[in-house]
Amino acid sequence: MLLPLYQVDAFTDRPFAGNPAAVCPLTEWLPAEIMQAIAAENNLAETAFFIPKSGNEYEIRWFTPAVEVELCGHATLASAHVLYRHLNFQAPEIVFHSKSGPLRVSQGAEGRLTLDFPARPPQPLSTHPDGLLDGLRATPLSIHAGPDLVCVFNSEAEVRALHPDMTHLARVEYRAVIATAPGTDGIDFVSRFFGPRVGVPEDPVTGSAHTTLVPYWAERLGKTTFHARQVSARSGDLWCELRGDRVLMSGYAVTYLKGEIEVGA
């Protein structure tokens, strides 16, 4: 069985930056173990699979090399890019039905794609979870818990300088650990995302993390629109807005590879 496969760099306007995602359009679902095996073979942070539902609606699922996840921003952005750029999708909005509910993606005149995701505000924690300080090799100013653990630092330089011990960090009983701090030079806040527990030691640019970061920074800075940057080695930019209980995240995407994979005998 031959299946189409695309590799897309998301949240960037140039190749070899942003977050690479594999996208595999399907006509019907494959067994979960086959999709997991494809994701492990791709060995990218996420592989997205989608099938048509009706009109502008699709069902979508995401797999890291190790597990299926309930929400992924960059691979959703990459999937929308594949539909618009390669599969002749024409409607102004795509609706992806997922385990996290309906996720809408629209394309702006300037070429940026905008994700409409649920906001997931974090709550402050008064104690350090087991493994956190040994894992980060640094002590944050404050810690907040949402689906991921948010560790707030004083400066961008501190976030960039982190060199975590992934063995210890994998003991932290959250999906992932996010480090964040105020940005500089017009960037409202920066972040890095560590997910050894789900098979992603460091994710280059993480849309889902911003469903938690944007509500945090909105409360702290008293504003609702942001230019955010994830300061991994590959780096990537997001233009975000908190709109009630939703977070809008906009970014660019570029195709790196398109081809076919052969699955089964």
Side-chain angles (χ1 to χ4, degrees), residues 52-125:
K53 186 174 172 68
S54 63
N56 69 330
E57 300 185 21
Y58 295 80
E59 295 179 12
I60 191 167
R61 294 169 71 178
W62 313 274
F63 292 78
T64 77
V67 297
E68 183 174 4
V69 296
E70 294 190 353
L71 188 66
C72 178
H74 85 279
T76 303
L77 190 81
S79 296
H81 172 81
V82 167
L83 280 163
Y84 279 116
R85 175 73 182 273
H86 300 289
L87 300 181
N88 200 35
F89 186 84
Q90 298 293 327
E93 182 182 75
I94 304 167
V95 181
F96 289 111
H97 295 273
S98 75
K99 291 184 176 181
S100 295
L103 309 171
R104 291 175 165 78
V105 187
S106 57
Q107 183 172 236
E110 72 288 351
R112 285 207 304 243
L113 294 164
T114 298
L115 308 174
D116 181 342
F117 275 28
R120 304 187 295 178
Q123 300 300 320
L125 284 184

Side-chain angles (χ1 to χ4, degrees), residues 147-158:
D148 306 310
L149 204 61
V150 178
C151 299
V152 181
F153 288 86
N154 186 55
S155 70
E156 177 178 334
E158 290 176 82

Side-chain angles (χ1 to χ4, degrees), residues 217-232:
W217 285 105
E219 181 175 355
R220 177 166 164 177
L221 299 179
K223 57 190 289 187
T224 57
T225 59
F226 308 89
H227 184 181
R229 179 167 294 160
Q230 200 153 324
V231 290
S232 64

Side-chain angles (χ1 to χ4, degrees), residues 117-123 144 147 150 189 207-224 226 240-249:
F117 275 28
R120 304 187 295 178
Q123 300 300 320
H144 306 257
V150 178
F189 65 87
S208 63
H210 288 74
T211 65
T212 300
L213 287 168
V214 167
Y216 168 79
W217 285 105
E219 181 175 355
R220 177 166 164 177
L221 299 179
K223 57 190 289 187
T224 57
F226 308 89
C240 304
E241 179 182 354
L242 181 63
R243 189 177 291 179
D245 62 355
R246 308 292 294 182
V247 171
L248 305 185
M249 298 171 284

